[in-house]
Amino acid sequence: YQRSAIDVAARARGERVGEWFSDVASGSTLERPELVRLRAALDVGRVRQVWVWRLDRLTRGGISDTLASVEHVRRSGAELVSVADRVALDGGPTGELVLAVLAWCAQMELAKLHENQEAARTRMRLEGRAWGRPAFPDPLRDAVAAAASRGMTCRAIARQLKVSKSWVAAVLRDLGR
């Protein structure tokens, strides 16, 4: 939904999104592969506009991370456009205040998310339930181990057992291989 909304907003301004930078990692860190790639593109002048769904999609690492990210965009000469926030993120005093408030809200949203996760973990522990990915079934673990010992690749094992390659890799990591 966010991509299509950005695309629609860009077209409404007569612009076109030339390249997408999209991370799946947590926004709480600035060391995400696509954000690093975006910063590099900004540094060489390949990007003149940075479109985000909301400012917190850029970073949720707090006010200093948000301000650093926005400043990086500005220093490169690019424009930062936030579709859902609907505020001017220019360098004026009002824009700076709004930017700081939005960054603080993103930080509080991340803190609330962590609190909710911890509450869910605690509840599940109290109910005697496990948190996280279910344990690997022993017969499948044994089959993965046997296939790996015969020299099969993760991809071949995954195909044979009809499971994902990442699952096979996780089992092998779990087995210390």
Side-chain angles (χ1 to χ4, degrees):
Y1 170 76
Q2 293 176 16
R3 254 188 201 218
S4 60
I6 290 170
D7 199 40
V8 166
R11 278 189 276 125
R13 282 183 38 169
E15 303 286 344
R16 183 182 69 77
V17 176
E19 187 174 359
W20 292 96
F21 299 84
S22 179
D23 273 309
V24 292
S26 168
S28 64
T29 178
L30 291 177
E31 297 309 313
R32 302 185 323 264
E34 289 294 287
L35 184 57
V36 169
R37 195 169 74 83
L38 170 62
R39 287 195 309 253
L42 286 164
D43 291 343
V44 297
R46 239 182 50 230
V47 175
R48 60 185 182 86
Q49 290 179 320
V50 175
W51 289 79
V52 293
W53 165 243
R54 281 191 347 212
L55 190 61
D56 69 354
R57 301 290 91 196
L58 192 57
T59 177
R60 286 187 179 177
I63 296 171
S64 62
D65 281 358
T66 302
L67 295 179
S69 295
V70 170
E71 186 56 32
H72 194 131
V73 171
R74 288 178 179 164
R75 264 195 329 270
S76 75
E79 175 189 13
L80 178 62
V81 183
S82 175
V83 173
D85 291 324
R86 296 181 187 189
V87 294
L89 296 174
D90 57 12
T94 305
E96 293 300 308
L97 176 62
V98 169
L99 183 62
V101 169
L102 290 173
W104 178 83
C105 289
Q107 186 175 359
M108 292 302 102
E109 191 174 325
L110 184 63
K112 182 180 174 190
L113 176 70
H114 288 158
E115 286 174 12
N116 290 345
Q117 287 174 338
E118 187 53 39
R121 275 190 209 94
T122 301
R123 187 194 73 221
M124 290 184 75
R125 256 192 316 272
L126 291 172
E127 293 172 357
R129 295 170 37 203
W131 176 265
R133 180 176 51 192
F136 302 113
D138 287 338
L140 272 180
R141 285 173 63 94
D142 296 343
V144 168
S149 67
R150 291 191 308 270
M152 289 179 70
T153 65
C154 281
R155 178 174 287 153
I157 295 169
R159 242 186 259 129
Q160 178 183 340
L161 298 177
K162 294 183 174 64
V163 295
S164 72
K165 188 174 83 169
S166 61
W167 187 86
V168 171
V171 169
L172 292 174
R173 269 193 312 275
D174 195 46
L175 294 172
R177 295 185 181 192

